[in-house]
Amino acid sequence: MGNKKRTNVDKRDIVKWTERWDDFFVEALVRQQSMGNRIDKVFTTKAYDNIVKELREKIGKPFEKDHLKNRMKTLKHNFNECYDLFKDTNGFTWSSETKMWTAKPEVWKALIKVKPGAKKWMTTPIANYDKLLLLFAKERDFARGSKVDAHQHGTSRNGSLPYDINQVMSQNEITLTLEDLNDMNDGTNQLPPPIEANSQADSQPPSQSATSLKGKKRKAPRDVCEGNVYQRKTDVFEREFESIREAIKDVAQAIREGNVIAERGRPRVYSEQEVFTELVKIGVDVQLRYKAYTFLIANAGRVRAFFGCPAEERKDFLLQLMYSPP
C-alpha cells in the first residue's frame, strides 16, 4: 500500500502546472499552429507529439498527450471567460507586464453589476492572453456565432490589448466546439486526472473510474454545427478530405499539362546511338559511315539539321553538308 500511495503522489507532482510551464506550452501551441499542424481548429497528432517532446526536453517532466489536452481545456476555459467578458466592453485593458485586466473603479463596478463573475478578474491574472487570442479567438467567435475577426484586437505600444467596444455582451456560457467533441471519449477510456492549476477546471478530481466508464452505453456519433446546419462529424471530415483530394488532382493535372507544354518548346536532343542508327538506315556506306558519324556529333546544330530533313533526303543533305566548301 505504501508503494501505491507513493506512486499517486508522484503522478500529482507531474501535473502541477506553473506559469513557466504555461509559457512554454502556449508558445509551442502557437508554433505548431503556424506550421500548419492544426486542422479545422483541432491540433493534429503530429502537433501533440512535437509539443510532448519539446516540453519533456525543456521542463524535464514525463508529459503525455492527455496532460496537454487537459491543460489546454483549462487555458481555453479561462480565455473564453475573459473573452466573453471584456471583448465588447468599454474601458478595459490587458497588460502583458502584469498579466491583469485593468480599468477605472467605476468601470469595474458597472461591469460587475451586470456580470458578477467578472469580480474575480480584478485580482486574477491570465498569462499569455495575446497568444491565446491567436489560438482561440476565432474559434470562440465561431462558437458564439460572431463574425468579429480576432485580429481587430490590436496591441498598444506598451504591450497592452485595448478593448473599447460599445456594450457588455449578455452571453457568457461556455460552448463546446469541434475540438472539445473530439477530446471526448465514447466511455471506453479513462484519461489521467486533470492537470492541476490555479483554476477549478484543473483542480477537479477524477469523477469516475475506468471500470465504471467501460460499462456505459456507447454514444452515437456527435453532430457538428456549421452555421445554422448540423451535420455529422464524419460528413464534415469526408467533405474536407474530398476537397483536398480534388485539389491534389487539379495540381497534378496542371503539372502534367505544364510538362507537355515545356516539352513542346524544348528542342529535341538526339543521342549518338540515334545518329548512328539513322546513318545505317539511310544507307550510308561503311567506309563513309564513321566519318559522317564523327562529323555530325561534333556539332549539335548539324544533328538537328540532319534530322530536320525528310528521311528520304537526309543522305543527300548529309553529303552536301560534308563536302560543300565552307
Side-chain angles (χ1 to χ4, degrees):
M1 293 295 293
N3 293 337
K4 184 175 182 180
K5 289 183 179 179
R6 183 60 198 170
T7 301
N8 291 338
V9 171
D10 292 342
K11 287 183 178 179
R12 288 197 299 270
D13 289 342
I14 291 174
V15 296
K16 289 182 179 178
W17 284 79
T18 66
E19 184 176 321
R20 176 172 168 268
W21 292 13
D22 277 343
D23 292 343
F24 287 141
F25 182 37
V26 173
E27 288 174 2
L29 287 171
V30 173
R31 184 160 46 253
Q32 292 301 315
Q33 177 173 276
S34 66
M35 293 169 61
N37 292 330
R38 191 184 191 191
I39 301 174
D40 195 19
K41 309 179 189 71
V42 180
F43 283 96
T44 63
T45 300
K46 181 180 180 181
Y48 280 114
D49 290 343
N50 291 342
I51 296 174
V52 165
K53 180 180 179 182
E54 181 176 338
L55 294 187
R56 285 179 177 179
E57 292 176 352
K58 289 184 176 180
I59 300 175
K61 296 290 184 179
F63 290 99
E64 299 293 343
K65 179 179 177 180
D66 289 327
H67 295 147
L68 306 187
K69 284 190 172 184
N70 288 337
R71 185 56 182 168
M72 185 160 62
K73 286 180 181 178
T74 296
L75 295 175
K76 187 187 295 186
H77 172 86
N78 292 338
F79 169 80
N80 288 345
E81 187 174 337
C82 287
Y83 192 66
D84 292 346
L85 284 170
F86 303 114
K87 170 176 173 286
D88 294 338
T89 307
N90 288 338
F92 285 88
T93 300
W94 179 83
S95 171
S96 60
E97 296 180 359
T98 64
K99 302 175 177 59
M100 301 279 290
W101 289 99
T102 59
K104 294 180 179 180
E106 58 269 25
V107 177
W108 274 112
K109 184 176 180 180
L111 177 60
I112 294 171
K113 184 175 182 179
V114 294
K115 291 287 184 179
K119 185 176 182 179
K120 80 171 187 178
W121 295 108
M122 294 182 69
T123 56
T124 303
I126 176 170
N128 300 299
Y129 189 80
D130 50 345
K131 297 182 178 69
L132 296 177
L133 273 173
L134 301 175
L135 293 169
F136 304 129
K138 287 186 178 181
E139 179 179 346
R140 186 59 178 165
D141 283 335
F142 179 83
R144 299 171 63 208
S146 173
K147 295 183 180 179
V148 178
D149 188 344
H151 294 290
Q152 291 177 356
H153 305 291
T155 302
S156 63
R157 292 182 181 179
N158 62 359
S160 301
L161 296 171
Y163 286 81
D164 190 15
I165 317 297
N166 295 325
Q167 61 179 355
V168 177
M169 298 296 291
S170 61
Q171 183 178 7
N172 191 35
E173 74 275 11
I174 304 298
T175 305
L176 290 178
T177 63
L178 177 58
E179 186 167 1
D180 296 316
L181 293 171
N182 281 348
D183 288 340
M184 294 179 181
N185 288 341
D186 292 329
T188 58
N189 295 303
Q190 170 69 17
L191 293 178
I195 300 174
E196 297 177 18
N198 57 352
S199 67
Q200 294 180 355
D202 264 0
S203 60
Q204 295 176 352
S207 59
Q208 291 178 313
S209 66
T211 303
S212 62
L213 287 175
K214 289 182 179 178
K216 281 193 174 183
K217 184 177 179 181
R218 185 175 182 87
K219 297 179 182 179
R222 280 85 167 175
D223 291 341
V224 178
C225 177
E226 288 192 351
N228 295 324
V229 181
Y230 280 86
Q231 302 182 21
R232 296 177 72 84
K233 284 199 297 182
T234 53
D235 295 337
V236 175
F237 291 151
E238 287 175 1
R239 187 175 69 252
E240 293 295 330
F241 288 136
E242 184 60 29
S243 299
I244 294 173
R245 283 195 293 267
E246 291 300 321
I248 292 175
K249 289 180 181 179
D250 292 341
V251 172
Q253 181 62 29
I255 292 174
R256 285 193 292 269
E257 292 175 356
N259 289 340
V260 171
I261 295 173
E263 189 66 27
R264 290 173 181 172
R266 185 183 300 116
R268 169 73 185 277
V269 177
Y270 295 90
S271 67
E272 290 83 353
Q273 183 177 359
E274 288 178 304
V275 172
F276 194 89
T277 300
E278 185 63 19
L279 292 175
V280 175
K281 185 177 179 180
I282 64 177
V284 177
D285 297 335
V286 176
Q287 294 82 358
L288 182 61
R289 189 179 301 161
Y290 300 110
K291 183 177 181 180
Y293 170 76
T294 305
F295 174 79
L296 287 174
I297 65 173
N299 188 299
R302 294 172 188 169
V303 174
R304 289 196 298 272
F306 172 72
F307 280 99
C309 290
E312 63 273 15
E313 298 181 14
R314 286 176 184 169
K315 183 176 181 180
D316 292 337
F317 173 77
L318 175 61
L319 295 175
Q320 180 179 344
L321 191 64
M322 290 176 65
Y323 296 107
S324 294

